[in-house]
Amino acid sequence: MNLEIQYLKKVDKFFSKNSHILSKEKTKDLIVKSIKKIIFKEDINVDVKQLKGDLDQYYRVRSGKIRILFELENDNVKVIAIVSDIDFRGDIYK
């Protein structure tokens, strides 16, 4: 499985302000684990859920008080995870 992770500008901005809380490496690790759990049904200890309603194309990963929203685009072998937003629990779904 080839994995490409793309970060939107607001996500990069979050990392620049909050790199002491959550790093890009930790985020990538969480997303890889989430994709393994979603696609390959592996039993991995990661809190990932598909959102409902208008946001049903997105998944959310929980890391403490941080929520990472991402969507998957699956082209045969290549999986693209687009991290669309990352923020604290109270602010992410606004």
Side-chain angles (χ1 to χ4, degrees), residues 15 18-24 26-27 30 63 66 68 86:
F15 283 129
N18 299 293
S19 62
H20 60 286
I21 298 172
L22 185 68
S23 65
K24 274 193 176 183
K26 174 77 172 158
T27 302
L30 287 169
S63 175
I66 305 288
I68 304 162
I86 183 171

Side-chain angles (χ1 to χ4, degrees), residues 33-47:
K33 286 180 180 179
S34 299
I35 291 171
K36 286 180 181 178
K37 188 170 186 173
I38 294 165
I39 295 176
F40 301 117
K41 309 291 187 219
E42 290 185 22
D43 188 21
I44 297 175
N45 189 16
V46 64
D47 187 2

Side-chain angles (χ1 to χ4, degrees), residues 8-34:
L8 296 183
K9 252 186 199 178
K10 60 184 171 181
V11 176
D12 286 328
K13 193 174 183 181
F14 176 87
F15 283 129
S16 67
K17 291 180 179 179
N18 299 293
S19 62
H20 60 286
I21 298 172
L22 185 68
S23 65
K24 274 193 176 183
E25 292 79 29
K26 174 77 172 158
T27 302
K28 181 180 180 181
D29 185 48
L30 287 169
I31 291 174
V32 168
K33 286 180 180 179
S34 299

